Amino acid sequence: MAAISAAAPYVARDRDLHNRALLRGWLYVVLLVLFALVLVGGATRLTDSGLSITEWKPIHGVIPPLNDAEWQEEFQLYQQIPQYAELNKGMSIEAFKSIFWWEWAHRILARSVGLVFALPLLFFWATRRVERGLGPKLVGILLLGGLQGAIGWWMVASGLVDRVSVSQYRLATHLTLAALIFTATMVVARGLAPHSEPAADRSTQRLAGFIVLLALIQIYLGGLVAGLDAGLSYNTWPLMDGKIIPGDLLILEPAWRNFFESPKTVQFIHRLGAYTVFIVALWHMIATRRRLPGSTHARRATLLFLLVLVQASIGIGTLLMHVPLHMALTHQAFALIVLGFASAHWRGTKGAYPLPHAIALRS
């Protein structure tokens, strides 16, 4: 009997580790679906497909048009909005189908990620695999996903009446919330992973977290660039409009509007954001290698800087090539890779969540 009692904490530990492995694997699947969702969303924006479905039908909208009559009905709804009248008048039904499928794929992926998250969460909760303290984190991510669906329609609605495209404010908000959900999912997944080294010092943790914040801000700025088609002008680097600091950056009144509505200013600020991420990631790598030489933290900081360097190169190439679809999507995809790795690194500097059995042993 005494032997059984002595072994109980170890049995509990093994059970906790097994449950964490299951939850972590599920969250990695969620991350893959989120990654695909953001990429298809980027393609939807770059092909001007986002307004091809003019109604929000969360349930019925899963089924696309199945015959010619339904296609004509969908096409007639699109013909009633300004984008068709001003940009695509005379478009054929076949051309409409090509933009419709991008938006439909984006919406079906959005619904899919909701199911991929919610149904396993219910199962894990019902089978008591969700640790105390982890539940609010997971429910919070689920609620953010629901909010994201509402913001997605709020974004689409901005282009159905008085505009030929969606509002860049709403597009950037939609993209940034997607990135925030991706970040939160990655942080929780890595918090459930075993770590081979103790947590890093507070200074290293703070700088790693700051890089995550900078990456999120940079993605928001990228959303503004996409919303204004700002990458299609001033396709030179390192000079912009022939200068390091171009002129006419504050021509709109009031001045704050330039940072959100002037394509020139928005592109310039996005460039400055990229330089900032590069410099901070470089400094973080140097500081971590000096402070924690040979550690996993130092190796991750080095890899993070290399990923930022690759992303900067892709961004410059995309700009110089006048934003071809494949380069723009690569740039967006690698932005998520940088953000995901930065988030995982930040969680890694803090270590894993304490195991429930370890808490019980200490108490």
Side-chain angles (χ1 to χ4, degrees), residues 9-344:
Y10 299 98
V11 172
R13 180 198 61 187
D14 291 343
R15 183 178 63 248
D16 293 338
L17 291 173
H18 176 69
N19 289 339
R20 284 190 170 194
L22 291 175
L23 289 165
R24 196 164 67 250
W26 158 58
L27 290 175
Y28 287 152
V29 172
V30 172
L31 285 169
L32 286 175
V33 181
L34 285 171
F35 187 84
L37 176 61
V38 174
L39 252 63
V40 172
T44 300
R45 168 57 193 153
L46 290 165
T47 56
D48 293 321
S49 305
L51 298 177
S52 57
I53 302 178
T54 60
E55 296 178 323
W56 191 29
K57 300 176 180 177
I59 306 300
H60 179 64
V62 171
I63 304 173
L66 300 176
N67 53 53
D68 290 342
E70 291 180 359
W71 275 114
Q72 287 295 336
E73 179 184 353
E74 202 72 47
F75 190 28
Q76 287 170 8
L77 290 172
Y78 177 68
Q79 289 173 328
Q80 296 172 18
I81 69 172
Q83 186 183 79
Y84 174 82
E86 298 183 32
L87 297 181
N88 293 327
K89 195 170 182 64
M91 168 186 274
S92 68
I93 187 72
E94 294 303 319
F96 170 71
K97 289 180 181 180
S98 69
I99 64 173
F100 176 93
W101 284 120
W102 277 117
E103 175 63 7
W104 182 84
H106 185 54
R107 295 192 184 196
I108 200 69
L109 272 173
R111 293 173 174 91
S112 298
V113 76
L115 293 176
V116 169
F117 195 94
L119 294 182
L121 176 58
L122 285 174
F123 169 77
F124 289 132
W125 209 306
T127 54
R128 298 184 178 181
R129 287 178 165 87
V130 178
E131 301 168 9
R132 181 179 299 178
L134 186 60
K137 295 180 176 68
L138 296 173
V139 171
I141 294 172
L142 182 62
L143 292 177
L144 285 177
L147 177 62
Q148 175 72 328
I151 287 178
W153 175 247
W154 175 65
M155 175 189 69
V156 170
S158 69
L160 298 179
V161 181
D162 300 318
R163 300 171 57 100
V164 297
S165 62
V166 300
S167 161
Q168 74 275 18
Y169 291 97
R170 301 187 187 189
L171 174 64
T173 300
H174 188 53
L175 175 60
T176 306
L177 184 54
L180 185 60
I181 294 170
F182 189 83
T183 299
T185 305
M186 178 64 80
V187 168
V188 172
R190 296 311 299 163
L192 293 171
H195 293 266
S196 59
E197 293 188 7
D201 57 280
R202 286 296 181 88
S203 179
T204 300
Q205 291 180 25
R206 284 194 293 267
L207 195 51
F210 185 55
I211 293 174
V212 175
L213 177 61
L214 288 177
L216 286 169
I217 293 172
Q218 185 67 351
I219 286 173
Y220 175 81
L221 293 171
L224 292 178
V225 169
L228 292 168
D229 290 324
L232 298 176
S233 55
Y234 308 106
N235 299 101
T236 59
W237 186 87
L239 300 182
M240 180 176 174
D241 198 17
K243 301 176 182 178
I244 294 294
I245 301 177
D248 299 326
L249 293 175
L250 299 175
I251 59 175
L252 299 180
E253 294 291 342
W256 65 265
R257 289 179 52 209
N258 292 278
F259 298 94
F260 302 94
E261 299 177 17
S262 166
K264 187 176 190 178
T265 307
V266 166
Q267 191 196 120
F268 180 66
I269 296 300
H270 189 54
R271 292 187 185 207
L272 292 182
Y275 301 149
T276 302
V277 173
F278 181 88
I279 292 169
V280 174
L282 175 60
W283 174 249
H284 177 60
M285 177 188 71
I286 294 171
T288 306
R289 289 173 69 91
R290 286 178 175 175
R291 189 177 293 116
L292 302 167
S295 67
T296 301
H297 305 302
R299 288 191 290 272
R300 281 198 311 265
T302 301
L303 180 54
L304 176 58
F305 171 71
L306 293 176
L307 290 174
V308 170
L309 179 61
V310 172
Q311 172 67 344
S313 302
I314 294 171
I316 293 168
T318 303
L319 183 69
L320 296 178
M321 295 171 67
H322 294 259
V323 198
L325 178 62
H326 69 283
M327 286 295 291
L329 285 179
T330 301
H331 188 48
Q332 182 165 318
F334 219 82
L336 270 188
I337 291 172
V338 170
L339 176 65
F341 189 82
S343 302

